[in-house]
Structures are given as C-alpha cells and as structure tokens.
C-alpha cells in the first residue's frame, strides 16, 4: 500500500536519488486539466519535467512536473540533468517561492499509446492519475505534479485524524 500524498514526495526528494530517469525537459503546451489547475489558458505554454520511475527493473510511474515558464526561468529545472536537491528547496533558493499546501485529485483513465509503451503496460489497463496542485499561502497555483500509475501495480492508502 502506498500513501496518496505523492505530490509532496516528488517536491521534496532530490531527483538524483529517484530511481529512474529524466525523459523530458522543455516548454510545451499545457493539457486542459493542468492548465485549469495552474489557472492558465488551455494550450498556453509551460515548462515540463517528466521522469519515468523504475523499481525492481520495471517502469512503475510516469511523473510530470508542470510550472509556468516565468517560474522556471533562471533555475536548473530547465536543464536536462536531475537536481541534487528537491524541487521545493531549489525553487525556494532560486525564486524565493514558498509552497504552502497541495490540493490532490485522483482520477482513473485509459493510457495513451505512448504512456502504455513508456510504462510497459497493456493498453487495456487503466491508469491512476494523481494530480497535485501546489499553492502558495494566498492560494495561487505554482506547480502541478502529475503521477501516472498503472492501476494493476498500485494501491493507494491514506490515514488522517478524525476531527
């Protein structure tokens, strides 16, 4: 069982310690859901860093980090190299950005042909798509973390206090 607080883990752990590889880093058009989470116009451009996570010799997750172009400028996020520190720490040092909270959404959908190939999964197995919208204290979205998990390889669990 896995915690569904994946967004926080991807933001705090150093990329160089992540099992897998950085497969994409560059400016791309935002998909509609990510644009909505970033309060951006659909198809506007943002910076994307995408990792394939490999555990026990097989791909298990496809993780994408989406951030506005102006937030990526002047950072090492635009390089094709894994960061020696967490993204949160890097953005705080370079841009004085303070993350306050994350709003997570979990959905299920069928993979695209490219996602199925990258994750080494059948096209008829659904993905769990975990979206973490990282916001500052005023609620402004700063970053979106998207984790795609083959549904037949993951089970999410969370525990929280009852108030």
């Amino acid at each position: 069982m896995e915690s569904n607080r994946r967004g926080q883990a991807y933001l705090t752990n150093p990329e160089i310690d992540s099992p897998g590889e950085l497969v994409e880093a560059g400016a791309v058009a935002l998909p509609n859901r990510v644009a909505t989470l970033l309060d951006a116009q659909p198809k506007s451009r943002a910076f994307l860093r995408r990792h394939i996570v490999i555990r026990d010799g097989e791909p298990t997750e496809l993780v994408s980090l989406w951030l506005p172009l102006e937030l990526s400028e002047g950072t090492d996020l635009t390089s094709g190299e894994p960061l020696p520190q967490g993204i949160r720490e890097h953005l705080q040092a370079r841009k004085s950005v303070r993350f306050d909270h994350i709003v997570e959404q979990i959905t299920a959908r069928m993979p695209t042909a490219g996602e199925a190939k990258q994750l080494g999964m059948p096209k008829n197995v659904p993905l769990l798509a975990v979206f973490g919208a990282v916001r500052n204290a005023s609620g402004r979205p700063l970053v979106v973390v998207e984790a795609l998990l083959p549904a037949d390889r993951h089970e999410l669990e969370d525990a929280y206090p009852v108030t």
Side-chain angles (χ1 to χ4, degrees), residues 119-140:
L119 289 165
M121 61 183 285
K123 294 176 189 171
N124 64 345
V125 172
L127 288 172
L128 297 174
V130 181
F131 292 91
V134 182
R135 298 175 181 266
N136 65 13
S138 67
R140 182 176 147 242

Side-chain angles (χ1 to χ4, degrees), residues 46-118:
F47 198 82
L48 166 68
R49 284 179 74 82
R50 182 169 287 151
H51 287 83
I52 186 98
V53 178
I54 299 172
R55 290 193 177 93
D56 298 325
E58 79 172 343
T60 60
E61 301 172 44
L62 189 59
V63 181
S64 300
L65 175 81
W66 306 85
L67 62 158
L69 291 175
E70 66 273 7
L71 192 57
S72 68
E73 292 170 357
T75 71
D76 292 342
L77 293 171
T78 58
S79 80
E81 299 298 319
L83 295 178
Q85 77 251 64
I87 291 163
R88 177 183 181 179
E89 180 183 344
H90 185 75
L91 283 173
Q92 189 171 346
R94 293 289 178 98
K95 294 290 200 168
S96 299
V97 170
R98 294 246 186 249
F99 294 168
D100 183 73
H101 62 281
I102 300 173
V103 177
E104 282 193 344
Q105 300 172 347
I106 302 173
T107 64
R109 66 172 176 81
M110 299 308 288
T112 65
E115 291 164 346
K117 183 177 179 182
Q118 282 185 303

Side-chain angles (χ1 to χ4, degrees), residues 26-30 34 38 40 43-48 66-69 72:
V28 297
L30 281 171
V34 177
L38 282 174
K43 307 300 180 203
S44 60
R45 295 178 64 75
F47 198 82
L48 166 68
W66 306 85
L67 62 158
L69 291 175
S72 68

Side-chain angles (χ1 to χ4, degrees), residues 7-20:
Q8 184 171 347
Y10 293 123
L11 294 170
T12 56
N13 296 336
E15 285 184 334
I16 59 171
D17 293 343
S18 175

